[in-house]
Amino acid sequence: QSVLTQPPSVSAAPGQKVTISCSGSSSTIGNNYVSWYQQLPGTAPKLLIYDNNERPSRIPDRFSASKSGTSATLAITGLQTGDEADYYCETWDSSLSALVFGGGTKLTVL
Amino acid sequence: EVQLVQSGAEVKKPGASLKISCKGSGYSFTSYWIGWVRQRPGKGLEWMGVIYPGDSDTRYSPSFQGQVTMSADKSTSTAYLQWSSLKASDTAMYYCARRASYGPRGFFDYWGQGALVTVSS
C-alpha cells in the first residue's frame, strides 16, 4: 500500500480531457516536489512532468500537472489512443527520508 | 545521447546469487545518481535505492535494506544490483534510472530498458 494514493483506473474518449489525481500528506506532496511518469505497455517508464509542473522538452503540451496542498493532478488533453498507459506520481517522503511512487493509474482511451 | 543499457533477462533458482548491470553513456556517469526500481508482474513501481557513482554513496529504501546490494564501477560507467540469495518473490522487472539529485527535489529523467529476473525452481 503506497503512501501516495492514485485511482486504479480512469477512462475517456479520444479527443477528450482526463485528470489523474495523486493524494499524499504534508510529509510527502505537501512539502516536496512531484514528478509524473508514463509507462506504455511493455516498456520502461518515461518522465512526463518534474518539479510539480515542468515538462521535458520532448513532452507535448497536451500533458500538464499541478499541485495544491497535499494533492497533485496530471491532466492530459486531446486524448489519443497512444496515450493508453499506466501513469505514476512520485515524490520524496520526509518522514521516511525515501522516494515514494504512487500505486499507478491505468488510462484507457475508449 | 544519454543511454542506460541494462543486462539481459535472467532465470535463476531460489538461493542462487545474481548481479545485474546498468551501463551509462552519453553523460558524466559520476555526476548523477543511479536509482533502481522494481516492478513485480502486473504491479506498480517500487523504489529500491540509489547510488552516486562519484563516491559510491548509497541510500536504500527501508523495504530493501539488507535484501540487495548496489555498487558502481566508475571505470566502466556501470552500476550493479546484486542478490546473495534469491527468493521467488524477487521475480520482477528491474529498472535503473538516472537522477540528478537525491532528496526532496529530483526526478528520474532517463531509464534503462529493464532486466527481467525470474526465480523459479
Side-chain angles (χ1 to χ4, degrees):
Chain A
Q1 187 123 357
S2 176
V3 298
L4 300 179
T5 302
Q6 297 183 236
S9 63
V10 296
S11 62
Q16 297 301 302
K17 174 183 176 180
V18 71
T19 60
I20 297 172
S21 61
C22 177
S23 178
S25 66
S26 58
S27 66
T28 58
I29 293 175
N31 286 286
N32 297 299
Y33 289 88
V34 179
S35 307
W36 289 90
Y37 301 89
Q38 176 194 60
Q39 186 176 32
L40 296 168
T43 70
K46 179 176 77 173
L47 177 67
L48 273 185
I49 299 286
Y50 65 95
D51 287 359
N52 298 331
N53 55 16
E54 299 292 329
R55 274 180 297 107
S57 57
R58 60 185 181 276
I59 302 300
D61 59 7
R62 298 188 299 108
F63 295 88
S64 63
S66 61
K67 189 184 96 166
S68 178
T70 58
S71 292
T73 302
L74 175 70
I76 311 171
T77 59
L79 275 173
Q80 302 172 0
T81 55
D83 295 330
E84 284 202 337
D86 293 321
Y87 293 84
Y88 295 89
C89 56
E90 180 240 286
T91 190
W92 178 256
D93 188 325
S94 303
S95 62
L96 297 176
S97 291
L99 301 170
V100 288
F101 285 101
T105 298
K106 182 176 182 61
L107 168 63
T108 301
V109 181
L110 302 167
Chain B
E1 179 195 8
V2 174
Q3 282 193 309
L4 295 172
V5 179
Q6 298 185 235
S7 48
E10 302 273 2
V11 179
K12 294 289 188 180
K13 294 189 185 305
S17 62
L18 176 65
K19 192 173 189 177
I20 62 174
S21 66
C22 170
K23 183 174 176 60
S25 62
Y27 73 100
S28 175
F29 185 71
T30 55
S31 300
Y32 290 80
W33 294 81
I34 291 289
W36 289 94
V37 176
R38 182 175 77 178
Q39 187 169 39
R40 284 174 164 156
K43 302 298 184 183
L45 306 176
E46 300 174 89
W47 174 68
M48 302 176 70
V50 291
I51 185 167
Y52 190 74
D55 60 7
S56 291
D57 185 7
T58 308
R59 313 292 177 89
Y60 293 96
S61 160
S63 299
F64 290 90
Q65 180 80 47
Q67 307 305 307
V68 296
T69 302
M70 297 175 191
S71 60
D73 183 340
K74 289 189 286 189
S75 68
T76 60
S77 298
T78 303
Y80 299 95
L81 177 67
Q82 68 181 82
W83 296 259
S84 59
S85 181
L86 286 161
K87 302 184 279 287
S89 57
D90 293 318
T91 294
M93 183 72 82
Y94 292 88
Y95 294 102
C96 65
R98 189 184 82 160
R99 195 173 184 97
S101 64
Y102 175 68
R105 188 172 193 174
F107 46 90
F108 291 114
D109 59 353
Y110 287 90
W111 293 67
Q113 82 277 20
L116 180 62
V117 174
T118 303
V119 184
S120 174
S121 54

